[in-house]
Amino acid sequence: MAFEVPVQGNDILSTILERANSDEELKALWKASNINAIDRLGFSDHGSTHVRIVARNALKMLRLLMEAGHQPGVVRNYGLTKEDAEVVVVLASAMHDIGLSVHREDHDEFSIMLSPPILRRLLKGLYEEPTLTYMIAETQHAMISHHEGFVPYTIEGGVVRVADALDMEKGRARIPFASGSINIHSVSALAIDKVRVGKGHERPIQIDILMNNSAGIFQVDELLKEKIARSGLRDLITVEVKVPEAESGIVKGLRL
């Protein structure tokens, strides 16, 4: 499946998407990341499907924040455009996990090491120096911001951080669950039917999480909550969780 997001008239972003979808190195890194994540570690997908979900949610949140008057870092600090901020967010989403192709441990730092030649290739001819280097630096900042050890300085980094945690609908947990990884991570992820990002009423961003079982609270309280708290966007996001009165059964039992 192609790496696609709604470009909404952003011609540079459209060109970058075309280049990304034909870049053999980037596609190979997505596949290699999944070899480690799925085949060797029994985790959920961290390749092309994951980055597409992250990119779409991150871009949607960025646009909602800009619509509400919040300035991206590339606009505030470098005098670039909102469209350039969209490029940063999409590229960071595309590459934040490519370091998993090397190893799970410190994969965020491996992603930073692997990304410069790919970024320069994707951005070639679209930006001149020094703007090209600014764009690469801002993209790498947003990439590293998804990791728990790094607090984002920009809303670009903040939305990538939060979007990474929003990839938790139940279909995303089927691979580790089916392979026998029955634990709170896989069970709680199976409890989440839908994640929706939209325009909020009191805050710019509204995240609705629809669950079929209260086990999904773990995903929100232990994972998403921390991501939002350290995103720099805490006061700009509302999260609403809906759990049905009649819960569905996920596991019938467990033998230890």
Side-chain angles (χ1 to χ4, degrees):
M1 189 176 293
F3 179 61
E4 296 177 339
V5 299
V7 296
Q8 294 187 2
N10 188 334
D11 293 336
I12 291 179
L13 181 57
S14 180
T15 298
I16 288 171
L17 290 174
E18 291 178 9
R19 292 179 178 181
N21 281 304
S22 61
D23 193 289
E24 295 303 324
E25 181 183 4
L26 180 57
K27 291 190 289 185
L29 286 170
W30 286 337
K31 180 176 180 178
S33 295
N34 263 350
I35 293 294
N36 277 337
I38 297 174
D39 296 353
R40 295 172 177 168
L41 295 174
F43 291 172
S44 60
D45 166 74
H46 280 67
S48 58
T49 300
H50 172 64
V51 299
R52 186 177 67 254
I53 292 170
V54 173
R56 284 175 172 265
N57 283 330
L59 184 58
K60 190 167 189 177
M61 287 189 286
L62 175 70
R63 286 170 173 164
L64 288 169
L65 290 172
M66 292 192 298
E67 181 183 328
H70 297 276
Q71 274 197 328
V74 295
V75 176
R76 183 178 65 252
N77 300 121
Y78 293 107
L80 301 180
T81 68
K82 293 179 179 180
E83 288 74 22
D84 296 325
E86 293 179 355
V87 169
V88 166
V89 164
V90 171
L91 284 175
S93 299
M95 297 193 199
H96 75 283
D97 273 342
I98 58 174
L100 263 168
S101 62
V102 179
H103 202 279
R104 168 65 178 172
E105 297 296 325
D106 298 324
H107 74 278
D108 50 303
E109 296 179 25
F110 290 130
S111 297
I112 296 297
M113 296 176 193
L114 290 167
S115 65
I118 304 174
L119 288 170
R120 287 192 175 274
R121 188 161 62 242
L122 296 181
L123 295 172
K124 184 178 180 180
L126 300 174
Y127 296 95
E128 301 297 330
E129 293 292 1
T131 304
L132 175 60
T133 295
Y134 299 155
M135 289 292 291
I136 292 172
E138 289 297 295
T139 298
Q140 290 187 312
H141 172 75
M143 288 168 60
I144 203 76
S145 293
H146 92 279
H147 191 267
E148 61 185 15
F150 295 87
V151 176
Y153 300 153
T154 66
I155 65 172
E156 296 96 304
V159 296
V160 172
R161 180 183 183 86
V162 175
D164 184 46
L166 293 180
D167 182 14
M168 57 179 173
E169 291 182 1
K170 65 180 180 181
R172 311 290 296 136
R174 285 175 184 156
I175 294 172
F177 190 85
S179 67
S181 297
I182 302 176
N183 53 46
I184 187 59
H185 293 278
S186 59
V187 171
S188 62
L190 282 171
I192 297 176
D193 285 332
K194 193 71 178 176
V195 177
R196 296 173 181 161
V197 177
K199 186 174 183 178
H201 300 291
E202 298 178 357
R203 297 175 178 178
I205 299 170
Q206 171 91 19
I207 299 173
D208 292 316
I209 301 173
L210 310 180
M211 299 182 184
N212 59 62
N213 188 287
S214 55
I217 294 295
F218 175 84
Q219 291 282 326
V220 177
D221 193 53
E222 294 295 322
L223 304 177
L224 179 59
K225 181 179 178 181
E226 186 278 335
K227 289 273 191 176
I228 293 176
R230 291 169 58 82
S231 67
L233 307 176
R234 179 64 191 90
D235 295 333
L236 303 175
I237 298 174
T238 298
V239 178
E240 185 169 334
V241 177
K242 298 179 181 179
V243 183
E245 293 183 7
E247 298 187 359
S248 66
I250 296 176
V251 293
K252 296 180 179 179
L254 181 65
R255 177 179 293 178
L256 300 178

